Amino acid sequence: MALRRIETEIDIEAPAERVWAILTDFNHMPSWNPFIRSVSGEATCGAQLSILVSPPGKRAMRFTPTVLSVRPNRELRWLGSLFVKGLFDGEHYFLLEPRNESATRFVQGENFSGLLVGPLSGALPATRRGFEAMNVALKQLAEAQDRLQ
């Protein structure tokens, strides 16, 4: 079984609580997020979400992952599969690492596994670019809110 991993990170000059609030406000995600265009469902363990992602230069795709972990202000993690479990699975995660009271390191990553990871790995560079674009947009929004207060 093939395995691949993408991990990106960015430092945000905003407290983890603010970054978490933006990240889990699914209703407003389409207004700022260039990669994850919509999320419906609840950020609770065991819940199923409906997520539309739009990697740069690629066709948008809808997934229905299951939430694996929710640790407010620290971690959100879900597991999704393309078609059937075991073909192309992705465990997506967001980690918030407080640097101090007003700064957070935001880590976004995904562990891919399954029989089709090798043949579909050509899409992974676009996925990485999507993660990076989302990270920058999240940073800009979280830091702009500080200037507005």
Side-chain angles (χ1 to χ4, degrees):
M1 181 180 309
L3 302 172
R4 297 282 191 283
R5 180 182 194 162
I6 296 174
E7 188 169 276
T8 61
E9 62 182 53
I10 194 166
D11 288 325
I12 301 175
E13 294 300 319
E17 294 80 9
R18 181 178 313 141
V19 176
W20 179 261
I22 294 168
L23 182 66
T24 57
D25 183 358
F26 296 157
N27 290 331
H28 288 99
M29 194 168 280
S31 69
W32 66 268
N33 195 328
F35 177 66
I36 300 177
R37 300 303 301 149
S38 72
V39 178
S40 30
E42 298 293 320
T44 56
C45 281
Q48 189 168 42
L49 303 175
S50 177
I51 299 175
L52 180 67
V53 297
S54 185
K58 299 288 183 183
R59 213 178 83 229
M61 296 172 283
R62 184 162 301 279
F63 294 94
T64 53
T66 300
V67 178
L68 299 177
S69 177
V70 179
R71 293 186 316 142
N73 306 322
R74 298 287 185 183
E75 176 186 36
L76 176 60
R77 184 178 297 263
W78 61 65
L79 176 64
S81 299
L82 184 63
F83 307 120
V84 248
K85 189 168 174 39
L87 283 182
F88 189 89
D89 302 331
E91 184 176 328
H92 197 99
Y93 57 91
F94 304 104
L95 304 174
L96 287 72
E97 302 169 356
R99 297 316 225 181
N100 57 47
E101 290 181 9
S102 62
T104 305
R105 172 155 296 153
F106 177 73
V107 178
Q108 177 176 194
E110 190 150 1
N111 297 313
F112 298 96
S113 62
L115 297 172
L116 296 180
V117 168
L120 296 178
S121 64
L124 298 184
T127 301
R128 173 181 285 283
R129 289 192 305 275
F131 286 12
E132 291 167 346
M134 176 183 164
N135 295 357
V136 169
L138 178 61
K139 174 183 175 72
Q140 290 172 341
L141 183 57
E143 291 177 356
Q145 286 184 0
D146 195 40
R147 290 188 291 273
L148 296 174
Q149 294 179 352

